[in-house]
Tab-separated table of all heavy atoms in Angstrom:
chain	number	residue	atom	x	y	z
A	1502	LEU	N	-45.148	15.632	27.627
A	1502	LEU	CA	-46.145	14.599	27.299
A	1502	LEU	C	-46.552	14.620	25.830
A	1502	LEU	O	-47.197	13.686	25.348
A	1502	LEU	CB	-47.393	14.789	28.170
A	1502	LEU	CG	-47.192	14.556	29.678
A	1502	LEU	CD1	-48.457	14.882	30.447
A	1502	LEU	CD2	-46.767	13.111	29.945
A	1503	ASN	N	-46.179	15.682	25.128
A	1503	ASN	CA	-46.530	15.775	23.715
A	1503	ASN	C	-45.755	14.750	22.892
A	1503	ASN	O	-44.548	14.612	23.037
A	1503	ASN	CB	-46.235	17.190	23.198
A	1503	ASN	CG	-46.562	17.346	21.737
A	1503	ASN	OD1	-47.688	17.104	21.314
A	1503	ASN	ND2	-45.573	17.755	20.949
A	1504	THR	N	-46.461	14.034	22.037
A	1504	THR	CA	-45.833	12.990	21.219
A	1504	THR	C	-45.522	13.455	19.804
A	1504	THR	O	-44.905	12.732	19.031
A	1504	THR	CB	-46.736	11.742	21.147
A	1504	THR	OG1	-48.009	12.112	20.590
A	1504	THR	CG2	-46.939	11.152	22.538
A	1505	GLN	N	-45.966	14.653	19.462
A	1505	GLN	CA	-45.754	15.180	18.124
A	1505	GLN	C	-44.528	16.095	18.097
A	1505	GLN	O	-44.153	16.670	19.120
A	1505	GLN	CB	-46.999	15.965	17.663
A	1505	GLN	CG	-48.286	15.152	17.696
A	1505	GLN	CD	-48.242	13.963	16.778
A	1505	GLN	OE1	-47.833	14.072	15.633
A	1505	GLN	NE2	-48.656	12.800	17.288
A	1506	PRO	N	-43.892	16.249	16.924
A	1506	PRO	CA	-42.761	17.168	16.811
A	1506	PRO	C	-43.182	18.591	17.193
A	1506	PRO	O	-44.240	19.061	16.784
A	1506	PRO	CB	-42.387	17.085	15.326
A	1506	PRO	CG	-42.908	15.757	14.881
A	1506	PRO	CD	-44.170	15.541	15.657
A	1507	ILE	N	-42.344	19.256	18.000
A	1507	ILE	CA	-42.677	20.596	18.470
A	1507	ILE	C	-41.872	21.641	17.704
A	1507	ILE	O	-40.649	21.658	17.762
A	1507	ILE	CB	-42.387	20.746	19.975
A	1507	ILE	CG1	-43.186	19.728	20.773
A	1507	ILE	CG2	-42.727	22.161	20.448
A	1507	ILE	CD1	-42.874	19.727	22.262
A	1508	THR	N	-42.570	22.490	16.984
A	1508	THR	CA	-41.941	23.634	16.326
A	1508	THR	C	-42.857	24.835	16.494
A	1508	THR	O	-44.078	24.690	16.584
A	1508	THR	CB	-41.719	23.380	14.815
A	1508	THR	OG1	-42.992	23.248	14.168
A	1508	THR	CG2	-40.887	22.125	14.587
A	1509	ILE	N	-42.247	26.003	16.547
A	1509	ILE	CA	-43.039	27.226	16.707
A	1509	ILE	C	-43.985	27.397	15.519
A	1509	ILE	O	-45.150	27.773	15.677
A	1509	ILE	CB	-42.114	28.455	16.837
A	1509	ILE	CG1	-41.268	28.342	18.111
A	1509	ILE	CG2	-42.940	29.744	16.845
A	1509	ILE	CD1	-40.284	29.478	18.285
A	1510	LYS	N	-43.484	27.070	14.325
A	1510	LYS	CA	-44.291	27.232	13.117
A	1510	LYS	C	-45.529	26.336	13.155
A	1510	LYS	O	-46.649	26.789	12.890
A	1510	LYS	CB	-43.451	26.904	11.882
A	1510	LYS	CG	-44.212	27.074	10.570
A	1510	LYS	CD	-43.319	26.759	9.375
A	1510	LYS	CE	-44.095	26.911	8.072
A	1510	LYS	NZ	-43.238	26.589	6.890
A	1511	ASN	N	-45.341	25.057	13.514
A	1511	ASN	CA	-46.471	24.130	13.559
A	1511	ASN	C	-47.480	24.516	14.631
A	1511	ASN	O	-48.692	24.370	14.448
A	1511	ASN	CB	-45.970	22.699	13.825
A	1511	ASN	CG	-45.249	22.115	12.630
A	1511	ASN	OD1	-45.398	22.592	11.503
A	1511	ASN	ND2	-44.453	21.089	12.874
A	1512	THR	N	-46.970	25.014	15.753
A	1512	THR	CA	-47.858	25.419	16.841
A	1512	THR	C	-48.712	26.612	16.426
A	1512	THR	O	-49.930	26.620	16.621
A	1512	THR	CB	-47.043	25.787	18.102
A	1512	THR	OG1	-46.264	24.659	18.512
A	1512	THR	CG2	-47.972	26.209	19.227
A	1513	ILE	N	-48.078	27.619	15.842
A	1513	ILE	CA	-48.805	28.817	15.423
A	1513	ILE	C	-49.804	28.496	14.314
A	1513	ILE	O	-50.884	29.093	14.246
A	1513	ILE	CB	-47.811	29.913	14.959
A	1513	ILE	CG1	-46.970	30.388	16.147
A	1513	ILE	CG2	-48.556	31.089	14.335
A	1513	ILE	CD1	-45.914	31.399	15.778
A	1514	GLN	N	-49.451	27.538	13.456
A	1514	GLN	CA	-50.334	27.177	12.345
A	1514	GLN	C	-51.423	26.172	12.726
A	1514	GLN	O	-52.264	25.831	11.902
A	1514	GLN	CB	-49.497	26.614	11.188
A	1514	GLN	CG	-48.612	27.652	10.513
A	1514	GLN	CD	-47.782	27.068	9.381
A	1514	GLN	OE1	-47.664	25.843	9.241
A	1514	GLN	NE2	-47.207	27.937	8.559
A	1515	SER	N	-51.412	25.713	13.975
A	1515	SER	CA	-52.434	24.766	14.429
A	1515	SER	C	-53.808	25.424	14.400
A	1515	SER	O	-53.943	26.631	14.632
A	1515	SER	CB	-52.129	24.288	15.859
A	1515	SER	OG	-50.902	23.592	15.908
A	1516	ASP	N	-54.819	24.633	14.124
A	1516	ASP	CA	-56.185	25.162	14.054
A	1516	ASP	C	-56.639	25.763	15.381
A	1516	ASP	O	-57.475	26.659	15.404
A	1516	ASP	CB	-57.162	24.044	13.649
A	1516	ASP	CG	-56.919	23.552	12.224
A	1516	ASP	OD1	-56.353	24.323	11.428
A	1516	ASP	OD2	-57.285	22.396	11.926
A	1517	TRP	N	-56.074	25.254	16.476
A	1517	TRP	CA	-56.519	25.687	17.800
A	1517	TRP	C	-55.697	26.835	18.375
A	1517	TRP	O	-55.971	27.303	19.493
A	1517	TRP	CB	-56.461	24.512	18.792
A	1517	TRP	CG	-55.190	23.711	18.752
A	1517	TRP	CD1	-55.005	22.492	18.174
A	1517	TRP	CD2	-53.914	24.070	19.323
A	1517	TRP	NE1	-53.709	22.059	18.353
A	1517	TRP	CE2	-53.021	23.005	19.054
A	1517	TRP	CE3	-53.450	25.168	20.041
A	1517	TRP	CZ2	-51.690	23.019	19.475
A	1517	TRP	CZ3	-52.124	25.195	20.457
A	1517	TRP	CH2	-51.260	24.131	20.170
A	1518	PHE	N	-54.680	27.351	17.650
A	1518	PHE	CA	-53.755	28.317	18.246
A	1518	PHE	C	-54.443	29.608	18.688
A	1518	PHE	O	-54.208	30.098	19.800
A	1518	PHE	CB	-52.614	28.648	17.276
A	1518	PHE	CG	-51.635	29.633	17.852
A	1518	PHE	CD1	-50.747	29.238	18.838
A	1518	PHE	CD2	-51.626	30.961	17.432
A	1518	PHE	CE1	-49.849	30.154	19.395
A	1518	PHE	CE2	-50.729	31.872	17.979
A	1518	PHE	CZ	-49.845	31.469	18.955
A	1519	LEU	N	-55.286	30.178	17.840
A	1519	LEU	CA	-55.970	31.420	18.212
A	1519	LEU	C	-56.860	31.203	19.431
A	1519	LEU	O	-56.966	32.072	20.309
A	1519	LEU	CB	-56.798	31.951	17.037
A	1519	LEU	CG	-55.999	32.514	15.859
A	1519	LEU	CD1	-56.944	32.984	14.749
A	1519	LEU	CD2	-55.116	33.677	16.314
Side-chain angles (χ1 to χ4, degrees):
L1502 294 175
N1503 179 57
T1504 59
Q1505 303 298 314
I1507 301 175
T1508 65
I1509 296 177
K1510 181 179 179 181
N1511 289 341
T1512 301
I1513 294 177
Q1514 291 179 346
S1515 297
D1516 294 336
W1517 47 257
F1518 180 73
L1519 289 179

